[in-house]
Amino acid sequence: MSLAHVLLTSLLETPATGFELARRFDKAIGQFWQATHQQIYRELARMEAAGWIASAPPAPGGRSRKRSYAVLAAGREELLRWAGEEAPLQPLRDELMVRLRAEAIAGPLGLEREIARHMAVHRDKLRAYRAIEAEDFAPGRVLSRKARVMHLILKAGIRYEESWIAWSAEALAELAALAAEDGEGGVQPPLRSSR
């Protein structure tokens, strides 16, 4: 997926200025795709040069001096082409997992605090997602097709956070058990450098 496809999707929902897109990105799309405001503006210029979007100057006498962007037919075709492709599975790339591998090889490294910090961040995100769900997707509420699909996206985020919280609890329990065993002399000392 490219930033262009994220922006095309957002602009198909509602034409917007670059500033509005960046704010919308931070609020809604930023949960599953990260981009700086600079990256968004650069991508808008590239998309306009490719003929996927067009910008309109601000309305005369309006308060805003910002250009508004809308998707052109070529941009819609590009989004449909991209959406029809197989989505590649993204490999897990997480620095915490590398640190745990170092823990396994080099001995106790005191990662409990970092795992607990990660757990707290995931709990905060889960609370935020649950609040959105309660406000926008309350049980018994009749939802449009768009809202039902948006709820699916939110549910994926909720399950992701729940999974990380459960894994963090398991990791902390396992490290605590290992520390208890270490206290009983049950493990080998950490590896030393051979310099």
Side-chain angles (χ1 to χ4, degrees):
M1 175 167 68
S2 73
L3 177 56
H5 298 110
V6 176
L7 295 174
L8 284 170
T9 300
S10 189
L11 286 171
L12 271 177
E13 185 176 9
T14 308
T17 66
F19 179 74
E20 291 165 341
L21 268 176
R23 284 185 54 206
R24 191 184 309 165
F25 202 99
D26 289 343
K27 184 177 177 187
I29 301 166
Q31 298 166 8
F32 52 89
W33 188 268
Q34 302 293 313
T36 66
H37 291 207
Q38 269 188 333
Q39 290 171 316
I40 291 170
Y41 282 103
R42 274 196 309 265
E43 193 62 30
L44 287 171
R46 193 186 73 71
M47 292 164 59
E48 189 166 25
W52 293 354
I53 62 172
S55 65
R63 294 184 67 203
S64 174
R65 295 185 315 214
K66 297 175 177 30
R67 301 180 73 78
S68 182
Y69 295 89
V71 177
L72 298 174
R76 179 180 279 275
E77 287 173 20
E78 169 55 23
L79 187 63
L80 293 175
R81 181 205 61 75
W82 167 79
E85 291 180 346
E86 287 186 359
L89 294 176
Q90 297 298 320
L92 176 63
R93 183 177 168 165
D94 190 309
E95 189 173 322
L96 182 57
M97 298 304 118
V98 178
R99 290 177 189 213
L100 274 174
R101 179 141 171 91
E103 166 90 18
I105 294 168
L109 300 176
L111 293 179
E112 295 85 354
R113 186 173 170 183
E114 182 65 3
I115 293 170
R117 186 183 71 78
H118 277 247
M119 188 179 200
V121 169
H122 288 289
R123 281 187 173 145
D124 288 345
K125 282 188 176 182
L126 180 60
R127 272 192 288 279
Y129 290 170
R130 289 281 189 207
I132 293 168
E133 185 177 43
E135 185 176 325
D136 295 348
F137 308 106
R141 190 177 194 180
V142 178
L143 301 175
S144 67
R145 181 186 190 287
K146 175 183 170 185
R148 288 169 66 182
V149 173
M150 298 294 271
H151 194 199
L152 283 175
I153 297 166
L154 182 62
K155 285 178 181 180
I158 287 169
R159 296 220 171 94
Y160 177 81
E161 300 306 333
E162 288 172 340
S163 173
W164 264 101
I165 292 165
W167 176 86
S168 298
E170 182 180 349
L172 289 171
E174 186 67 24
L175 290 175
L178 289 169
E181 291 172 16
D182 289 353
E184 298 168 8
V187 296
Q188 298 176 354
L191 298 176
R192 302 278 184 234
S193 173
S194 59
R195 286 189 212 176

